[in-house]
Amino acid sequence: MMEAVQERKANKMGTMPVNKLLISMSLPMMISMLVQALYNIVDSIFVSRIDENALTAVSMAFPIQSLMIAIGVGTGVGVNALLSRSLGEKDYEKVDKTAVNGVFLAVVSYLLFLAVGVFAVTPFYLSQTEDVQIIAYGKQYLTIICCCSFGMYTQFIFERLLQSTGKTFYTMVTQGTGAVVNIILDPIFIFGYFGVPRMGVAGAAVATVMGQIVAGIMGIIINEKKNTDVKLRFAGFKPDGKVIGQIYKVGVPSIIMQAIGSVMTYGMNQILIAFSSTAVAVFGVYFKLQSFIFMPIFGLNNGMVPIIAYNFGAKEKGRMIQTLKISILYAVGIMAVGFLIFQIFPAPLFALFDASETMLSIGVPALRIISFSFLFAGFCIVCGSLFQAIGNAVYSMVTSIARQLVVLLPVAYLLSLTGKVEYVWWSYPIAELMSLALTIFFLIRVNRNVVSKLGN
């Protein structure tokens, strides 16, 4: 018991040199996020071998999947920020309350999407297409993803408890293991190897949820064995409205911010289906490919947020600013590499998905045009996570709403009226420029009203 208390008092987020700390916390997360991105891409590569309609169906499922992730990640962001800040303030009772209420919220989130899986999948697909085969594929895939999402929500919350206390190496282990399980099972279940029945699109969904379940179970075990900073006590548990309110003060703006991505994706699918189902498939492939660039940034953020939140709670302004500057440098560098990859290798990237000539003719310009937005996105994403870490997540929410709903979708629609699908992709760089301007404005405001008042 004394060792656990001592470890809480000597948390590395307040003592280790910032660059070393950021790398030690972010690198495992970046690696695990890269593995996550890899299995998302592999998933679609295998599905594309069924036929293009299967790939389109999985692409159309993305808004619901994105909404599921938004609620899980957004809640996790709130838990992460509150728990890390409470550690910095040495309020260990609140640390434990935050953790237990976070687990409760994960259960509620699962029950919500269980209902979606049972009642909403068919209407969702009918709102996007009349193609009978695409609808059939989509119902198989999305029903399994939603109804078995308990693994995903377990994984989300227990990984966030590890991240919040600086133990990001273990999240690399859980996410990496889940991803490897998914990658191995994908071809087995989709195509029916080793005596397993051929399941097609449904097999891709089963492989995904099984990977999530394995990762979730590992997260529970590792927290119980290794996370001495958090004590999960469920005996006599009652939801704490005050703690849940504080979690969602940060979490709701993050949920809204990411859920807006679901609305944007749904809207873009509606715009693109007017051109062809191939255009929708191209958009889906883009999302899979861009995750390989963006996921390391999100891994960097997952390492950065608890550091900033901890030092914000401890009123260590210098460590906060240094963490932000280094994070921006790394993020901009990663996005620059992504920009070059999309500019130089668009055709080989689409060849991974067994792309037809029609898909290549649409997809190659799409990757080259959209990737111009990468040049500004790294800075905006890191600053948005800063706002969340210090309790000003509403700034991130406003920026995301303005970028995706006020600018991107209307501009995409207006450009679609030209009748040329390649013009639609320019909505991304245009929206990102607006996001950059708004982010800089909020950053100046946060520095003046919050950070500058922390002292040294």
Side-chain angles (χ1 to χ4, degrees), residues 149-334:
S149 60
F150 57 86
M152 182 184 74
Y153 285 110
T154 302
Q155 178 183 354
F156 274 145
I157 189 60
F158 283 96
E159 286 177 352
R160 286 292 178 169
L161 297 184
L162 292 167
Q163 292 169 23
S164 301
T165 55
K167 296 171 177 62
T168 54
F169 171 79
Y170 295 114
T171 62
M172 179 182 72
V173 174
T174 57
Q175 289 189 3
T177 303
V180 169
V181 168
N182 189 345
I183 290 170
I184 291 172
L185 294 181
D186 255 334
I188 295 174
F189 289 154
I190 292 172
F191 303 115
Y193 297 140
F194 307 113
V196 176
R198 180 186 176 96
M199 299 172 68
V201 172
V206 172
T208 296
V209 299
M210 289 189 71
Q212 292 166 348
I213 291 168
V214 169
I217 292 170
M218 289 183 66
I220 293 172
I221 294 170
I222 292 172
N223 266 282
E224 181 65 25
K225 300 290 186 183
K226 300 293 185 181
N227 200 350
T228 56
D229 284 313
V230 175
K231 306 299 178 189
L232 289 169
R233 301 182 181 91
F234 293 100
F237 167 75
K238 293 182 179 178
D240 188 316
K242 183 177 179 181
V243 171
I244 291 173
Q246 289 177 305
I247 289 172
Y248 279 131
K249 181 183 178 183
V250 175
V252 166
S254 180
I255 290 169
I256 293 172
M257 183 173 64
Q258 295 191 62
I260 287 163
S262 297
V263 176
M264 182 277 293
T265 306
Y266 181 83
M268 284 294 287
N269 283 342
Q270 296 288 74
I271 291 168
L272 293 170
I273 197 70
F275 290 95
S276 66
S277 62
T278 301
V280 175
V282 164
F283 188 54
V285 169
Y286 158 72
F287 258 100
K288 299 292 184 179
L289 292 172
Q290 63 91 29
S291 70
F292 210 70
I293 310 300
F294 281 81
M295 282 296 190
I297 307 293
F298 297 144
L300 175 70
N301 282 357
N302 286 338
M304 180 195 80
V305 166
I307 298 173
I308 289 182
Y310 182 99
N311 286 285
F312 180 64
K315 301 188 185 305
E316 292 285 347
K317 182 175 74 172
R319 289 177 65 82
M320 285 178 58
I321 293 173
Q322 191 177 359
T323 301
L324 177 65
K325 288 181 177 178
I326 295 171
S327 298
I328 289 172
L329 181 65
Y330 288 149
V332 171
I334 291 168

Side-chain angles (χ1 to χ4, degrees), residues 108-152:
V108 173
S109 299
Y110 163 64
L111 293 175
L112 170 64
F113 282 97
L114 174 62
V116 170
V118 173
F119 299 111
V121 170
T122 299
F124 171 73
Y125 271 95
L126 286 171
S127 72
Q128 297 186 83
T129 182
E130 296 179 354
D131 189 300
V132 175
Q133 188 179 45
I134 291 176
I135 293 170
Y137 281 146
K139 287 169 62 178
Q140 293 175 41
Y141 181 81
L142 194 54
T143 300
I144 294 169
I145 291 293
C146 290
C147 292
C148 299
S149 60
F150 57 86
M152 182 184 74

